[in-house]
């Protein structure tokens, strides 16, 4: 009987280990945050709108929204509507860089990019994170995280330029690893940028945004 009880406990332990979620990692280990001020956050919004019509910042949360019927960010642009932060002062062409931020996407937002690594060879970007019907995706392709509506997620995107590799973590869990798409200069963007099959209104909220560089 004792051996049977021992076997049962071992079986239960192994089952618990198999079902337990993978332990979270710290993607920022070995990186150092660069200094950021408000001057590093450059807002891009519909050119005919005041900033307050599409953006708010309470000192902690940056809230950005756009309508699918809005104008582009400049009269000369033929791109789709956006309200995005273009991170300035830390463009890069080599090394290993990281974007970190916590994002909240309200239900109903769909057909939109919420984060970009700008700069590609034959494409404008080397990575985009899209939202479609509550799922976060690599462009409109591979799933990254399901059921993202109405909850805060910590997003870490690491770009190893030399290895041409991008790695995405959600809440400390590695969710994606993809090759880069070339390009000679890169920078980070976040917010809302209209994509295919967009909802009439799109919004994302961000806090604790940092840029880091590998030591």
């Amino acid at each position: 009987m004792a051996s049977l009880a021992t076997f049962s406990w071992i079986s239960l332990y192994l089952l618990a280990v198999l079902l337990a979620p993978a332990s979270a990692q710290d993607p920022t280990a070995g990186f150092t945050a660069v200094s950021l001020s408000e001057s590093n956050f450059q807002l891009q919004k519909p050119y005919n709108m005041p900033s307050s019509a599409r953006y708010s910042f309470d000192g902690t949360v940056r809230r950005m929204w756009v309508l699918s019927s809005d104008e582009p960010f400049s009269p000369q642009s033929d791109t789709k509507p956006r309200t995005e932060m273009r991170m300035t002062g830390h463009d890069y062409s080599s090394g290993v860089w990281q974007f970190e931020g916590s994002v909240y996407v309200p239900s109903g937002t769909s057909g939109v990019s919420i984060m970009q690594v700008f700069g590609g060879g034959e494409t404008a970007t080397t990575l985009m994170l899209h939202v479609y019907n509550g799922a976060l995706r690599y462009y409109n392709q591979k799933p990254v995280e399901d059921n993202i509506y109405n909850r805060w997620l910590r997003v870490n995107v690491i770009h190893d330029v030399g290895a041409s590799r991008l790695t995405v973590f959600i809440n400390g869990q590695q969710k994606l690893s993809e090759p880069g798409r070339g390009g000679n200069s890169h920078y980070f963007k976040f917010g809302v940028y209209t994509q295919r099959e967009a909802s009439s209104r799109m919004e994302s909220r961000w806090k604790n945004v940092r840029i880091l560089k590998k030591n």
Side-chain angles (χ1 to χ4, degrees), residues 101-144:
S102 294
V103 65
Y104 180 101
V105 179
S107 58
T109 290
S110 189
V112 65
S113 168
I114 61 169
M115 189 271 166
Q116 304 182 43
V117 180
F118 195 85
E122 297 181 357
T123 57
T125 62
T126 201
L127 177 137
M128 296 180 84
L129 295 178
H130 290 187
V131 175
Y132 290 100
N133 300 315
L136 188 66
R137 291 184 172 273
Y138 169 71
Y139 291 91
N140 62 339
Q141 303 163 18
K142 294 183 179 180
V144 177

